[in-house]
Amino acid sequence: MKSTLLPRGLLALTTLTLQASATFLYAASYSGDVTTLNLTLAEPTPSRARCNGATKPPANGTLVEVSSTNGCAGSPAWLELDYDNALLYCSDEGLTKATGSMSSFRTTDDGELILLNKINTKQGPVSSVLYGKGGLAVAHYAGSMLNLINVTDPESLTPFQNLTFTLDGPGPNKGRQDAPHPHQTVLDPTGKFILVPDLGADLVRVFAISDEDGLTVTAGEPLVAAAGSGPRHISFAEKKDGSFVMYLISELSNTITAYNVVYGEEEGEEGISFEEVFVIPTHGEGEEVPKTAGAAEILVSPDGKFLTISSRMEDAFTIPNPTPSEDDEDSPAEIPSDTLVTFSIDSSSGALTLVQKAPAGGRGPRQFTINKEGTLVAVALQADSRVAVIGRDVKTGELGGVIAAAVVKGGVTAVIFDE
C-alpha cells in the first residue's frame, strides 16, 4: 500500500549537526556526463527542523551544478575516488557500443574534473575499487570478467590481468542468469582480498591479492549463494569481539544474507571463508517485500552501528517534489518514491533489527553513499534523473526529509561525496 509522507525535515538538532558548509559531490549518469554538484548547507532553524504538516521539503540546503564533463562517455556507471591524491576514476558501461572504457580525472578545488587518460575495455564495467599497491579492480557485468588495471600512473592506465568467467548453463532465472554477471568489486576488511558478487552465477568470487607485488591476484574458493538469488553488493561490519560480519544483498531474491567472516591459514597462506548466520527479506524479518521490488545498494554506516539498503520499483511513498520546475506548469507537486530501509546492527551477533522504511527522494535508488560524519545520505535516483541529499540521525540511524536535490540529465547511476 502506498503511503503519503509529509516531510519531517531534519531530525533532532542535537543529533543532526548541519552547520553552514559546502562540499562537492560527483554524479555519474547515462547521459554520458560526470557532473560536479556543490552542496551548501545552512544551519536549520527550529521551525524548519520540525516542520510537520509542511507542504514541501525544508529549504535547508542547495545542490547546484558547477561543472560537467563527458570524458567518461558513453555510459558512466560507477565512480571511485582517491581523495588523498585528488583523483577520480569512472567506469563507462558501454551500453550503446561494443566496448566499455575506464577514465581517470584530476579533481580540482573549483570542482572541475580534468581528464587524464581514457582506455577502452571489454563491455560492461559497473563497479571498481582501489586496492594494494596502485591497483584498480573492475567488475564487468556484461563482459563476465574481473579486470585489473595498474593506476600507479593515472595518466597511463594499464590493464595487466583479467579473469573471464563462464557458466555451464543458465541459472534458475534464465533471463538474468544467462551468463556470469559480476556486479561489484569490494575489499575485505583486511584489504588482502577482493570480493566480487556475481549476479549471474550466484557466487561471491574471492581473490587473494599478492603480498609480493600488491597487484596480481589468485582466485580462491568462492562463496556459493542461494540458487537464483542474484548476489549484487556486499558491506562489512565489525563486531565488538573484533571479528567481522559480511552482509550480502541479492537482487533477484530481495534478501540480505549475513555471514561471519573467518580468517585462517591454508597451505601457508592466509585464507578467507564465510559462515552463513541468517537470511532475511530486504524489508526486515517477517516483512513483505513488494513483488516488483529490485534490491540495489547496501551500506554499513561509518560508525558500524546501522545497515541501510535501497529497494527500487516500489513507489511505496508519495513525497513533495524535491526538484519542482518553476518554468513547467505541469511539474507535479508530489512524486512517487522508492524505499531506503535501515536496520540496527547487534554488535555481538551481527543480527539486524528493523529501524525504519523511508522514502529515497524519488524513484530508482540504484546507489547511495553516506558521508563520513554520518549525517547525510546522497542518493543516485536513476529513474528520476535526480540526486537527492537526505538528512540522517547519527544516534538512531533514521533518515529525515530531503535537504537538497538536483536534476542531473540521464539516468543517475552513482553519486559520491568528495571526502
Side-chain angles (χ1 to χ4, degrees), residues 87-386:
L87 296 168
L88 182 72
Y89 299 93
C90 178
S91 307
D92 158 29
E93 197 171 349
L95 294 179
T96 60
K97 53 185 181 176
T99 63
S101 67
M102 293 297 301
S103 300
S104 57
F105 297 90
R106 176 74 60 191
T107 63
T108 63
D109 290 341
D110 62 4
E112 183 182 3
L113 295 174
I114 301 172
L115 181 65
L116 300 177
N117 192 214
K118 183 175 184 177
I119 60 171
N120 287 331
T121 68
K122 198 170 182 179
Q123 193 176 27
V126 294
S127 172
S128 66
V129 67
L130 291 162
Y131 74 94
K133 300 176 182 178
L136 185 71
V138 185
H140 288 247
Y141 183 90
S144 300
M145 79 174 201
L146 173 66
N147 187 19
L148 303 179
I149 301 174
N150 188 323
V151 296
T152 52
D153 179 1
E155 296 184 9
S156 179
L157 305 180
T158 307
F160 65 91
Q161 184 181 9
N162 70 73
L163 300 96
T164 300
F165 313 124
T166 60
L167 281 180
D168 293 334
N173 188 326
K174 295 182 180 180
R176 296 293 306 278
Q177 297 184 309
D178 58 322
H181 291 307
H183 213 300
Q184 185 191 32
T185 51
V186 66
L187 292 180
D188 81 304
T190 69
K192 295 182 178 181
F193 299 90
I194 298 170
L195 305 180
V196 183
D198 188 329
L199 184 147
D202 288 324
L203 298 173
V204 175
R205 301 182 185 273
V206 178
F207 301 91
I209 302 168
S210 169
D211 289 334
E212 295 183 2
D213 61 19
L215 287 173
T216 56
V217 303
T218 303
E221 189 70 23
L223 166 63
V224 179
S229 60
R232 182 180 173 98
H233 283 190
I234 57 181
S235 193
F236 293 89
E238 184 175 2
K239 295 190 284 188
K240 66 180 182 181
D241 65 1
S243 65
F244 296 93
V245 59
M246 182 179 80
Y247 299 101
L248 168 68
I249 191 168
S250 295
E251 178 178 347
L252 303 182
S253 62
N254 287 298
T255 56
I256 302 168
T257 307
Y259 301 88
N260 285 329
V261 182
V262 180
Y263 294 100
E265 295 292 329
E266 296 181 0
E267 298 180 357
E269 296 183 0
E270 185 175 359
I272 185 172
S273 60
F274 308 92
E275 298 175 346
E276 183 176 317
V277 183
F278 62 82
V279 184
I280 62 172
T282 51
H283 284 44
E285 185 67 45
E287 296 287 324
E288 184 177 352
V289 180
K291 293 181 179 180
T292 57
E297 186 61 280
I298 184 168
L299 278 182
V300 171
S301 60
D303 61 9
K305 295 180 179 180
F306 299 93
L307 176 78
T308 300
I309 68 98
S310 64
S311 186
R312 302 162 295 171
M313 298 175 285
E314 291 190 15
D315 289 356
F317 298 91
T318 298
I319 64 172
N321 188 349
T323 53
S325 173
E326 297 180 357
D327 300 324
D328 183 1
E329 294 181 356
D330 295 326
S331 179
E334 295 182 328
I335 62 168
S337 175
D338 289 329
T339 307
L340 298 178
V341 186
T342 296
F343 303 86
S344 62
I345 300 173
D346 184 280
S347 62
S348 296
S349 66
L352 300 177
T353 300
L354 180 64
V355 171
Q356 180 196 38
K357 299 176 190 177
R363 298 174 302 143
R366 172 168 167 155
Q367 179 266 354
F368 65 88
T369 50
I370 305 173
N371 69 337
K372 289 184 177 180
E373 191 178 0
T375 56
L376 300 170
V377 179
V379 188
L381 295 158
Q382 182 176 351
D384 278 357
S385 300
R386 178 187 299 117

Side-chain angles (χ1 to χ4, degrees), residues 386-401:
R386 178 187 299 117
V387 171
V389 178
I390 297 170
R392 179 178 178 273
D393 188 313
V394 176
K395 290 185 178 180
T396 68
E398 291 187 342
L399 305 182

